Amino acid sequence: MFKDQSIVLRRLAVSLRKTGHFLEARDQYTLSIHAADLLGKEGKILKANSLNSLGNMYLNLEEFELARTNYQDALAIYEDQEHSEGIASCLNNLALIYSRTGQYAEAYPYL
């Protein structure tokens, strides 16, 4: 039950984000993360997916520190679970933060 709930909440959050309803999207991401936490180990990747998506929202809002925190949290989970696609996505997103803030030398190790 919590698995489906986490997935649906993240999808709802993405839709809200894409339509400019950022506060509501943040709330849905938070609920999705909580539902994933209730699954224990089975929910780790779901949680990381929601954290990564939440980071994307903050990146688009130019809230770079919030984006970085969410990407780093997601990255830690992806690394723990050896989820190569998630690792690559987070590293790319972290590089985007540095690129968008003009810190090109810091972006290089993430590419």
Side-chain angles (χ1 to χ4, degrees), residues 22-55:
F22 301 113
L23 292 176
E24 294 92 342
R26 183 199 60 206
D27 293 344
Q28 297 306 311
Y29 283 127
T30 301
L31 290 172
S32 174
I33 291 164
H34 179 66
D37 278 338
L38 293 173
L39 291 166
K41 183 176 170 116
E42 181 186 348
K44 294 238 182 231
I45 297 299
L46 293 172
K47 179 178 182 175
N49 291 343
S50 292
L51 288 165
N52 195 29
S53 294
L54 183 56

Side-chain angles (χ1 to χ4, degrees), residues 8 30-31 47-48 60 100-101 103 108-109:
V8 168
T30 301
L31 290 172
K47 179 178 182 175
N60 291 335
R100 289 190 184 175
T101 58
Q103 300 172 340
Y108 184 75

